[in-house]
Amino acid sequence: MDAHAIAQGSPIATVNPYTGERVREFPALSAEDVERAIDRAHCSFPTWRARSTADRGALVQRAGRLMRERKEELAHLLTLEVGKLINSSRAEVDLASDILTYYGDHGPELLEERLLPVPGGTAVLVNEPLGVLLGVMPWNFPLYQVVRFAGPNLVLGNTILLKHASSCPQSALALEQLFTDAGVPTGVYANLFVRGRDVGTIIDDSRVQGASLTGSERAGVSLGEIAGRNVKKSVLELGGSDPFVVLDGHNIERTVYAAFLGRMGNTGQCCVAAKRFIVLADVYDAFLTGLRDRMSEVQPGDPVDPATTLGPLSSEAAAELLMEQVRDAVDKGATVVLGGGRPDLPGAFFEPTLLTDVTPDMRAYREELFGPVATVYRVADEDEAVALANTSPYGLGGAVFAADPERARGVADRLEAGMVWINHPTASRPELPFGGIKRSGYGRELGDVGIVEFANRKLVRYVDADAPIQEVLG
């Protein structure tokens, strides 16, 4: 059956979260179709890895250029499928293009073999691709999340099978077409319309050498278990409940604006968004008032309209889950400073919401709030701020704001997180490694460490043919 045909009732579908309209559906691939896709990726690998990193990088660079040329088409597709504000969709296209361009250009250099200092002879560390990789990607950043995984690995020489979220199938197809148009050979990058339950079967296949997942903790636990059982490398980027620590009132307007952007970006649907604002007592009132005023100014509406500053959540189910979490907090004594519910609008909207007096018995204290809801805490000093920040089971990112760089760095060093930004909300750049610890996952994407996560870092040691033989230990 043609995977691009419409199949009524398929869970793989574009549903506009602003209107609720079911726009287009796609059937899941059959077991035979998946088998053929794995075989093509496996058979394509030897030829792909034999090409130089410069050659592979040139194709990835070309994909980056094509992405910018198709910016408007892709941006409108993102907004249609996940309700992203149109300007945010354009920004995502730019970032995804930058990542492809960066690794197409700098990837070969990052993958160069490294000479190790040894006595007698030489030793080098060589980065070789592993083979077929499976990427399991989420809906909240349909382009960026994929290229963060795929771009560096294509330059490395791995071949990619991509299982995208079921709610953004047209974005998935657009990416596959973009790589094809850039000249990436058939079988090297392939989109798979499969259900979540099919992921385990793919990882079990002996031709698949590793898997990367960005998504929920539950999905990550399942994938990690299957990969571990098969002794295969995996990278997991899961949820986050990132702290945003405010140590002083220096340039408080800038700090409040950073907090607003850090919480409200992508309508709050970002793993690395600021979610818990931990503020020292002497600046707490000014910060809370400023953030409340900022958040109350947003205008909900059609995400395609540039005047709209609050789009819908990705789905009605996402909005209902957030409502359950907020209601639980309020029922247990949390104070609603702003919002707290669903606006009287069609679509999957949720009001910008500020909660204080959140306590450990509330879901909002320990769970990720994936939407425009922020919790604000008053603390007495840095020690209390760090202790509160580190109570979360997550450890993705964090931010620290202070005029004194040494003071800020001291707090940043004590935060249990994979990434900490100082005087800026946690963000992503092509050259910087991205990833977390604790329940936020393991491994890194991007940067000099991310590009070799799925590399065989092979040691090649040369010893002179006439040198003495040492006893072998190890």
Side-chain angles (χ1 to χ4, degrees):
M1 187 174 186
D2 181 4
H4 298 180
I6 295 177
Q8 293 300 319
S10 172
I12 302 170
T14 299
V15 179
N16 186 334
Y18 176 61
T19 65
E21 178 191 2
R22 195 172 185 86
V23 179
R24 193 175 177 194
E25 301 178 349
F26 300 85
L29 297 178
S30 67
E32 292 76 15
D33 290 332
V34 173
E35 160 66 26
R36 282 191 288 269
I38 296 173
D39 194 60
R40 282 193 297 268
H42 177 68
C43 293
S44 299
F45 173 64
T47 304
W48 181 242
R49 73 168 293 177
R51 298 174 75 157
S52 68
T53 54
D55 188 15
R56 296 193 296 262
L59 296 182
V60 171
Q61 269 192 316
R62 189 179 302 161
R65 291 195 299 271
L66 286 176
M67 186 171 283
R68 282 198 181 270
E69 292 173 9
R70 300 174 185 180
K71 180 175 178 176
E72 285 304 303
E73 170 192 342
L74 292 170
H76 279 83
L77 194 52
L78 300 186
T79 296
L80 169 69
E81 293 202 302
V82 299
K84 194 184 297 280
L85 297 178
I86 189 62
N87 285 334
S88 296
S89 293
R90 291 179 179 125
E92 181 179 343
V93 175
D94 287 342
L95 177 58
S97 174
D98 287 346
I99 289 171
L100 293 173
T101 302
Y102 179 85
Y103 287 93
D105 184 21
H106 296 281
E109 175 188 349
L110 294 172
L111 293 169
E112 286 179 355
E113 64 183 41
R114 181 160 63 94
L115 186 66
L116 304 176
V118 293
T122 62
V124 293
L125 197 61
V126 182
N127 296 306
E128 296 181 345
L130 295 180
V132 182
L133 304 179
L134 173 67
V136 182
M137 296 295 132
W139 51 262
N140 56 333
F141 291 94
L143 300 184
Y144 158 69
Q145 303 276 15
V146 174
V147 304
R148 194 174 74 185
F149 159 69
N153 275 298
L154 288 173
V155 179
L156 172 59
N158 291 313
T159 56
I160 305 295
L161 298 173
L162 204 290
K163 183 252 181 283
H164 215 320
S166 297
S167 58
C168 51
Q170 295 188 73
S171 299
L173 289 178
L175 262 175
E176 182 182 49
Q177 189 62 52
L178 186 139
F179 283 119
T180 298
D181 294 345
V184 173
T186 300
V188 171
Y189 179 96
N191 175 69
L192 299 183
F193 282 144
V194 294
R195 296 179 175 88
R197 63 173 180 263
D198 298 321
V199 167
T201 302
I202 297 171
I203 299 173
D204 282 336
D205 193 291
S206 62
R207 294 164 293 183
V208 176
Q209 302 302 311
S212 180
L213 178 142
T214 297
S216 70
E217 182 181 340
R218 184 177 65 177
V221 168
S222 176
L223 184 143
E225 180 182 9
I226 297 167
R229 186 174 68 231
N230 285 280
V231 198
K232 294 179 181 179
K233 178 67 181 285
S234 62
V235 168
L236 303 179
E237 195 268 278
L238 310 178
S241 188
D242 289 7
F244 185 109
V245 182
V246 181
L247 300 179
D248 61 38
H250 176 76
N251 201 350
I252 188 64
E253 294 83 5
R254 179 184 182 275
T255 300
V256 166
Y257 182 59
F260 171 76
L261 292 181
R263 174 64 284 203
M264 296 298 290
N266 204 41
T267 318
Q269 300 170 113
C270 179
C271 296
V272 79
K275 298 185 176 79
R276 296 178 296 140
F277 296 91
I278 302 171
V279 187
L280 264 63
D282 59 352
V283 72
Y284 175 88
D285 289 337
F287 176 86
L288 182 62
T289 299
L291 185 56
R292 179 201 64 195
D293 292 347
R294 276 279 185 184
M295 291 177 67
S296 65
E297 293 172 352
V298 300
Q299 295 296 319
D302 186 347
V304 177
D305 184 349
T308 297
T309 52
L310 179 70
L313 297 187
S314 63
S315 67
E316 185 63 25
E320 285 302 311
L321 172 60
L322 197 58
M323 188 70 251
E324 291 173 10
Q325 292 170 309
V326 171
R327 189 180 295 117
D328 172 81
V330 174
D331 289 346
K332 293 174 180 175
T335 299
V336 179
V337 177
L338 177 71
R342 303 285 304 274
D344 186 18
L345 293 170
F349 284 92
F350 201 93
E351 293 174 339
T353 298
L354 271 178
L355 300 176
T356 60
D357 304 312
V358 174
T359 54
D361 62 323
M362 301 173 187
R363 293 176 62 184
Y365 184 92
R366 64 185 183 274
E367 295 181 4
E368 181 177 28
L369 300 175
F370 218 60
V373 178
T375 56
V376 187
Y377 302 85
R378 183 200 305 262
V379 293
D381 53 31
E382 294 171 21
D383 289 341
E384 187 180 355
V386 170
L388 178 57
N390 290 342
T391 58
S392 173
Y394 297 107
L396 189 53
V400 180
F401 280 71
D404 182 345
E406 291 186 6
R407 184 185 186 195
R409 176 62 192 272
V411 171
D413 287 348
R414 296 166 65 191
L415 295 182
E416 297 171 353
M419 307 167 283
V420 180
W421 286 53
I422 294 174
N423 294 329
H424 194 283
T426 311
S428 179
R429 289 186 53 85
E431 69 274 14
L432 299 179
F434 191 102
I437 59 172
K438 297 165 68 174
R439 304 297 289 186
S440 290
Y442 50 76
R444 295 294 181 267
E445 292 178 307
L446 303 179
D448 58 343
V449 292
I451 196 171
V452 294
E453 282 282 9
F454 291 101
N456 172 18
R457 310 203 74 191
K458 181 191 290 184
L459 170 69
V460 179
R461 172 76 158 104
Y462 172 79
V463 180
D464 188 85
D466 296 320
I469 301 296
Q470 298 178 333
E471 182 179 358
V472 176
L473 302 171

